[in-house]
């Protein structure tokens, strides 16, 4: 049975979603302030669902304290069931999923993107590891590129505009590549590795040994490869951002710069990239907000999308 949210329910969901984004991602929280009010609230609602799904699968709290969970596949099944109910317009009784219900109804959000994201959580639940670069990009699509597509729809992009959605996907992939490069050591501590096996073999790094000191310089080569790929995807996304309404363009360009700094800093630190977690300072974030505001006013040449970039499934 379809359920239309009443204003008081929606307001409560928005407040809870805002609290979730403040706890889970200061970078995204900063960028979201640049949206117009309606888009900002919808971005918070979508984030709350994405964050909750990630936390459920990884046994963490707002992205912190990831731990091994013994029932990961059962947790994914629960997420699928609650998400399907939310997308069907039913009240779930669980804030993040009811947040998804509201934003999906308001924006004609294509359900396939939500299901694609859950497919990514399923890969993690199965302790999947990428063998090739193609596997890596496919994973990045499922856990981040699909979110980029959903965000684009929330910002007013037509779900049928594949080229703009591709560029929104590119930004999500850029973000995820930065995260993977930054979090190699953290992932290793919980038994995960998102560096493609073929890349490790190429650098003659034995399986499971990539964080050992003798292989650090070789790992730097691979982290910088991911950072360079993140930069290419970010450049593609900037072209797509030029098609967005003014404030949405500003927010996306700010987020691109903030997250792009993570990949750039990992590359710059070299062998010391994993001594301390790379973060973007508050002053640097504010700097990107200012730079993005200027960039949002400039015309961007409508260059064709780079044919070397991985393309999301249709």
């Amino acid at each position: 049975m379809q359920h239309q949210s009443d204003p008081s329910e929606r307001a409560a969901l928005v407040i809870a979603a805002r609290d979730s984004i403040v706890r889970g991602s200061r970078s995204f929280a900063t960028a979201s302030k640049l949206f117009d009010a309606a888009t900002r609230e919808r971005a918070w609602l979508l984030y709350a669902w994405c964050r909750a799904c990630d936390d459920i699968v990884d046994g963490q709290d707002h992205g912190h304290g990831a731990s091994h969970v013994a029932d990961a596949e059962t947790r994914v099944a629960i997420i699928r069931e609650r998400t399907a109910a939310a997308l069907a317009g039913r009240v779930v009784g669980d804030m993040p999923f009811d947040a998804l219900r509201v934003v999906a109804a308001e924006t004609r959000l294509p359900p396939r993107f939500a299901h694609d994201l859950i497919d990514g959580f399923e890969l993690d639940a199965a302790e999947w590891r990428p063998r090739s670069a193609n596997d890596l990009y496919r994973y990045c699509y499922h856990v981040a590129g699909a979110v980029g597509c959903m965000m684009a729809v929330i910002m007013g992009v037509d779900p049928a505009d594949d080229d703009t959605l591709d560029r929104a996907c590119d930004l999500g992939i850029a973000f995820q590549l930065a995260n993977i490069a930054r979090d190699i050591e953290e992932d290793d501590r919980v038994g995960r590795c998102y560096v493609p096996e073929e890349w490790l073999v190429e650098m003659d790094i034995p399986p499971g040994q990539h964080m050992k000191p003798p292989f650090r310089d070789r790992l730097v080569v691979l982290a910088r490869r991911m950072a360079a790929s993140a930069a290419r995807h970010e450049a593609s996304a900037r072209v797509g951002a030029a098609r967005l309404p003014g404030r949405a363009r500003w927010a996306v360009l700010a987020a691109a710069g903030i997250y792009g700094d993570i990949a750039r800093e990992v590359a710059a630190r070299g062998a010391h990239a994993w001594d301390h977690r790379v973060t973007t300072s508050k002053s640097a974030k504010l700097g990107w907000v200012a730079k993005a505001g200027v960039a949002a006013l400039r015309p961007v040449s409508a260059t064709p999308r780079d044919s070397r970039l991985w393309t999301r499934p249709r």
Side-chain angles (χ1 to χ4, degrees), residues 142-227:
H142 281 293
V143 300
V147 178
C149 292
M150 288 189 279
M151 281 297 301
V153 173
I154 283 174
M155 288 182 271
V157 174
D158 187 329
D161 184 353
D162 281 331
D163 186 69
T164 301
L165 290 180
D166 282 344
R167 293 179 186 274
C169 175
D170 287 338
L171 188 58
I173 289 175
F175 289 174
Q176 190 62 26
L177 289 170
N179 286 341
I180 290 173
R182 176 190 63 188
D183 297 341
I184 291 174
E185 189 273 336
E186 291 182 27
D187 288 332
D188 183 62
R189 275 192 271 125
V190 294
R192 288 181 177 173
C193 179
Y194 298 105
V195 183
E197 292 177 12
E198 290 179 358
W199 289 9
L200 296 172
V201 170
E202 173 193 339
M203 300 303 294
D204 200 23
I205 300 175
Q209 304 296 305
H210 55 279
M211 285 308 304
K212 297 294 176 63
F215 306 112
R216 185 62 65 95
D217 288 342
R218 303 180 199 181
L219 186 62
V220 168
V221 173
L222 301 181
R224 285 177 171 162
R225 182 181 296 177
M226 279 190 267

Side-chain angles (χ1 to χ4, degrees), residues 196-302:
E197 292 177 12
E198 290 179 358
W199 289 9
L200 296 172
V201 170
E202 173 193 339
M203 300 303 294
D204 200 23
I205 300 175
Q209 304 296 305
H210 55 279
M211 285 308 304
K212 297 294 176 63
F215 306 112
R216 185 62 65 95
D217 288 342
R218 303 180 199 181
L219 186 62
V220 168
V221 173
L222 301 181
R224 285 177 171 162
R225 182 181 296 177
M226 279 190 267
S229 180
R232 289 192 294 272
H233 283 82
E234 180 186 333
S236 172
R238 287 178 178 276
V239 176
R243 304 168 187 168
L244 298 172
R247 292 193 62 170
R249 185 184 321 136
W250 184 13
V252 168
L253 291 175
I258 291 167
Y259 276 92
D261 270 357
I262 292 174
R264 287 183 280 272
E265 182 64 17
V266 168
R269 288 190 187 181
H272 297 289
W274 305 284
D275 293 350
H276 303 284
R277 194 170 198 261
V278 173
T279 58
T280 306
S281 69
K282 183 176 181 179
S283 61
K285 289 172 185 172
L286 292 175
W288 273 113
V289 168
K291 286 184 279 189
V294 174
L297 300 175
R298 295 174 180 157
V300 176
S301 58

Side-chain angles (χ1 to χ4, degrees), residues 89-114:
R90 297 195 295 273
V91 175
V92 179
D94 188 353
M95 183 279 289
F97 296 91
D98 285 325
L100 175 66
R101 167 175 55 81
V102 169
V103 74
E106 291 181 356
T107 63
R108 296 187 304 115
L109 191 70
R112 70 178 185 275
F113 294 136

Side-chain angles (χ1 to χ4, degrees), residues 295-308:
L297 300 175
R298 295 174 180 157
V300 176
S301 58
T303 55
R305 184 170 176 270
D306 189 338
S307 62
R308 297 171 298 172

